[in-house]
Amino acid sequence: MFGKNKKHTYSSGPRELIVEKQPKSPISEQFRTIRTNIMYSSVDTEIKTVLFTSASPGAGKSTMAANVAVAYAQSGKRTLLIDADLRRPTTHYTFEATNQRGLSTVIINDMPAADVVKETNIENLEIMTSGPIPPNPSELLASRKTSLLLKTFAMDYDIVLIDTPPLLAVTDAQVLSKIVDGVILVTNVEANNRGHLQDAKALLEKADANILGVVMNNKNMGRSKDEYYYYYGSE
Ligand SMILES: Nc1ncnc2c1ncn2[C@@H]1O[C@H](COP(=O)(O)OP(=O)(O)O)[C@@H](O)[C@H]1O
Ligand SMILES: [Mg+2]
């Protein structure tokens, strides 16, 4: 969608936020649809913490988490985007923020979360970058401190979106999927491997995760209105 599709003038860099820069484009509309689907995916319990993951790297998790976060913020919701990909973090690039302190610092150094959360130039949107890459990401994410942190954030914000590493590579996302309200599984259409997707889904089910939906991301599809869509929901 970025640059390749001449119909859209969006070509100035892969990490730019299309929902911020081109809110009226059909792609931005797709991100808003994902937001709406998350909002209404659960009738009984309010969804406050949502994790984005995929089977393999490069599926578009970070792109989707960041754009859906902007879509939430634009709808007036107090939104927090957390970069819990403590292996290949990108949120600080997307929002051109520093990353000396972030999630890893809060967990390891007992630093107050409020000192680490950063405002962005988008109203209602705050971010917590990854912080320096630790040697033991899974251990940090499985800690009591992480789950307490998420509980606190769920009270402080209307919605908390969490970017994570791929499921089949490391246990991080699986561990986190147990303590969030819902999970969005992102899959890249080109590299779509049914087996991998099923393995990823099985890992989430094993963790008793609440899979809200699977989003297909097609980087090269010409008709941009179809670039993101829900593949299926869990219910
Ligand atoms: N729909 C899309 N169209 C074009 N490029 C995309 C799309 N989704 C993601 N990308 C690009 O593909 C790369 C990988 O996406 P990213 O969101 O970082 O994936 P992940 O976080 O799953 O590894 C990035 O350079 C991103 O800008
Ligand atoms: Mg990523």
Side-chain angles (χ1 to χ4, degrees):
M1 78 188 185
F2 306 115
K4 274 190 176 146
N5 186 344
K6 293 284 188 320
K7 271 193 289 184
H8 297 286
T9 50
Y10 193 74
S11 59
S12 45
R15 294 264 161 228
E16 277 198 31
L17 289 162
I18 194 155
V19 176
E20 184 201 10
K21 298 279 152 60
Q22 294 189 27
K24 295 204 164 83
S25 79
I27 300 167
S28 298
E29 189 52 41
Q30 290 288 301
F31 286 120
R32 284 192 291 273
T33 303
I34 295 169
R35 173 200 65 196
T36 309
N37 284 340
I38 294 171
M39 278 173 156
Y40 297 108
S41 57
S42 172
V43 193
D44 301 328
T45 48
E46 196 186 358
I47 303 280
K48 296 293 287 266
T49 49
V50 178
L51 180 150
F52 288 77
T53 192
S54 63
S56 317
K61 295 179 290 298
S62 302
T63 306
M64 197 162 302
N67 280 283
V68 172
V70 174
Y72 261 106
Q74 286 175 343
S75 72
K77 301 277 183 208
R78 223 169 107 68
T79 307
L80 178 68
L81 173 65
I82 302 176
D83 198 338
D85 188 341
L86 301 181
R87 297 167 192 271
R88 292 175 70 180
T90 56
T91 302
H92 56 292
Y93 298 130
T94 310
F95 291 90
E96 294 175 53
T98 57
N99 195 28
Q100 279 90 3
R101 298 194 302 195
L103 179 61
S104 64
T105 340
V106 171
I107 305 170
I108 298 168
N109 300 347
D110 245 338
M111 190 174 270
D115 292 358
V116 170
V117 168
K118 297 181 179 77
E119 288 187 356
T120 64
N121 57 10
I122 296 159
E123 205 185 336
N124 299 317
L125 179 59
E126 295 182 4
I127 56 170
M128 179 180 260
T129 62
S130 67
I133 294 177
N136 52 346
S138 322
E139 210 178 298
L140 295 195
L141 297 174
S143 68
R144 219 176 98 74
K145 223 182 252 177
T146 301
S147 88
L148 281 176
L149 192 64
L150 286 185
K151 282 206 179 93
T152 311
F153 283 147
M155 289 188 276
D156 292 347
Y157 293 86
D158 294 321
I159 185 82
V160 180
L161 303 174
I162 305 154
D163 189 8
T164 65
L167 277 162
L168 300 185
V170 286
T171 59
D172 305 15
Q174 200 188 357
V175 160
L176 283 177
S177 73
K178 293 180 208 231
I179 56 169
V180 295
D181 299 330
V183 176
I184 302 283
L185 192 52
V186 182
T187 176
N188 178 347
V189 174
E190 302 138 67
N192 190 20
N193 177 320
R194 209 161 229 297
H196 283 174
L197 192 60
Q198 271 161 359
D199 291 348
K201 200 167 162 259
L203 285 175
L204 289 174
E205 279 163 357
K206 212 168 128 196
D208 264 334
N210 177 21
I211 305 174
L212 300 175
V214 177
V215 182
M216 292 269 228
N217 179 16
N218 188 344
K219 294 185 191 174
N220 296 317
M221 196 181 277
R223 286 167 301 133
S224 57
K225 87 180 196 0
D226 295 328
E227 273 176 359
Y228 291 102
Y229 56 92
Y230 264 68
Y231 182 45
Y232 61 79
S234 60
E235 315 181 90

